[in-house]
Amino acid sequence: MPEQDTHVVLERLLRLRDRREPLVAQIAEWVGAGIIEGRLEPGQDLNSVELSRRFDTSRTPVREALMLLEQEGLVEMKARRRPRVAAPSLTDIRDIYQVRRHLLAMLAGLLVERATDEELAELRGRVETMRQLADAGDVDAYFWSHVQLQERMTEIVQNATLKQILDSLALRTLMLRHLSLTRPGRLAYSVDDQERLIQACEERDGELASALIAGATVRALRSAEEQIEQDAAGSRKPARRRRPTA
């Protein structure tokens, strides 16, 4: 279930198990998932009073949860202003994806070297499930399955330094990765990329696997850029004036 995948990923990346106050973790997970899946949009205010009412609590746990998300780059909190969903610039986004592209290329090369045949068979099974989700058009379920696929890859290669660096970028990229998948046709392209990657790994072609995952990352960036630019253009359009009624 995507809800379970969401919980597992956010619990680990936000280190929610370390929180003594369960309500803080619950609020952080709800807001974090909302930002990543696009229900809370970049630049949108996060009303602490409304969140307090939603979770039937004081504003203190809400503020702690938002501060936790601020540390991970998902929320902006400035003096004398309401907290809001972070809105990274296109320059920031391109910088992040440039680094991520090289890290994932390294990941794919290591996967070819270190994964056993049984582990590659497991990854292929995951991709087959992703194909079903893509065919069904289930963006959220496909997205979280894709996140879990890459997390499993990092576990298989057993490079703690690489995993730590990827984790440090993870929450800043999840929203963008989800956004890129909302573009028409992107689910089919994405799952095709995953199938070609697994095939290259099965053939033990590290150079090809690295090139494939790097190319897929560039395409995901372009898709996110296109969606961001489309959303910005839509927000600039003047509202249509309503004709007076008789």
Side-chain angles (χ1 to χ4, degrees), residues 114-170:
R114 300 181 180 182
T116 64
D117 291 343
E118 290 76 15
E119 287 168 335
L120 290 178
E122 175 199 339
L123 295 179
R124 176 163 289 282
R126 288 174 178 261
V127 172
E128 288 172 356
T129 300
M130 289 166 62
R131 168 64 71 181
Q132 297 172 5
L133 296 172
D135 290 344
D138 192 335
V139 173
D140 287 347
Y142 177 89
F143 165 75
W144 289 109
S145 295
H146 189 194
V147 172
Q148 292 281 58
L149 174 71
Q150 288 194 348
E151 292 221 339
R152 180 61 182 135
M153 289 177 178
T154 62
E155 292 172 357
I156 290 172
V157 303
Q158 296 184 2
N159 185 310
T161 301
L162 178 60
K163 183 174 178 59
Q164 183 179 12
I165 298 172
L166 281 170
D167 281 353
S168 71
L169 294 173

Side-chain angles (χ1 to χ4, degrees), residues 13-32:
L13 292 176
L14 289 170
R15 299 173 294 279
L16 297 181
R17 289 185 181 179
D18 300 336
R19 307 300 302 185
R20 294 181 180 178
E21 175 55 66
L23 197 52
V24 172
Q26 184 181 351
I27 296 168
E29 183 176 319
W30 185 87
V31 175

Side-chain angles (χ1 to χ4, degrees), residues 6-169:
T6 305
H7 173 74
V8 169
V9 173
L10 291 181
E11 182 182 58
R12 187 179 70 79
L13 292 176
L14 289 170
R15 299 173 294 279
L16 297 181
R17 289 185 181 179
D18 300 336
R19 307 300 302 185
R20 294 181 180 178
E21 175 55 66
L23 197 52
V24 172
Q26 184 181 351
I27 296 168
E29 183 176 319
W30 185 87
V31 175
I35 292 172
I36 291 166
E37 295 178 354
R39 294 188 299 277
L40 300 172
E41 299 179 352
Q44 180 177 336
D45 284 345
L46 297 169
N47 191 316
S48 299
V49 174
E50 291 180 0
L51 288 170
S52 298
R53 290 172 181 162
R54 172 180 285 274
F55 291 94
D56 191 23
T57 184
S58 69
R59 295 174 64 179
T60 299
V62 172
R63 183 168 181 80
E64 289 183 16
L66 295 181
M67 289 175 65
L68 178 61
L69 294 171
E70 181 189 30
Q71 294 171 8
E72 301 298 335
L74 293 182
V75 169
E76 294 177 357
M77 299 179 70
K78 297 182 179 180
R80 297 182 295 279
R81 291 185 60 178
R82 277 185 179 175
R84 66 178 186 175
V85 178
S89 68
L90 280 175
T91 298
D92 292 337
I93 291 168
R94 288 164 183 155
D95 288 346
I96 290 171
Y97 266 85
Q98 183 179 40
V99 174
R100 181 172 167 76
R101 174 168 60 87
H102 289 290
L103 292 173
L104 290 179
M106 182 184 300
L107 173 65
L110 290 172
L111 192 65
V112 168
E113 292 178 11
R114 300 181 180 182
T116 64
D117 291 343
E118 290 76 15
E119 287 168 335
L120 290 178
E122 175 199 339
L123 295 179
R124 176 163 289 282
R126 288 174 178 261
V127 172
E128 288 172 356
T129 300
M130 289 166 62
R131 168 64 71 181
Q132 297 172 5
L133 296 172
D135 290 344
D138 192 335
V139 173
D140 287 347
Y142 177 89
F143 165 75
W144 289 109
S145 295
H146 189 194
V147 172
Q148 292 281 58
L149 174 71
Q150 288 194 348
E151 292 221 339
R152 180 61 182 135
M153 289 177 178
T154 62
E155 292 172 357
I156 290 172
V157 303
Q158 296 184 2
N159 185 310
T161 301
L162 178 60
K163 183 174 178 59
Q164 183 179 12
I165 298 172
L166 281 170
D167 281 353
S168 71
L169 294 173

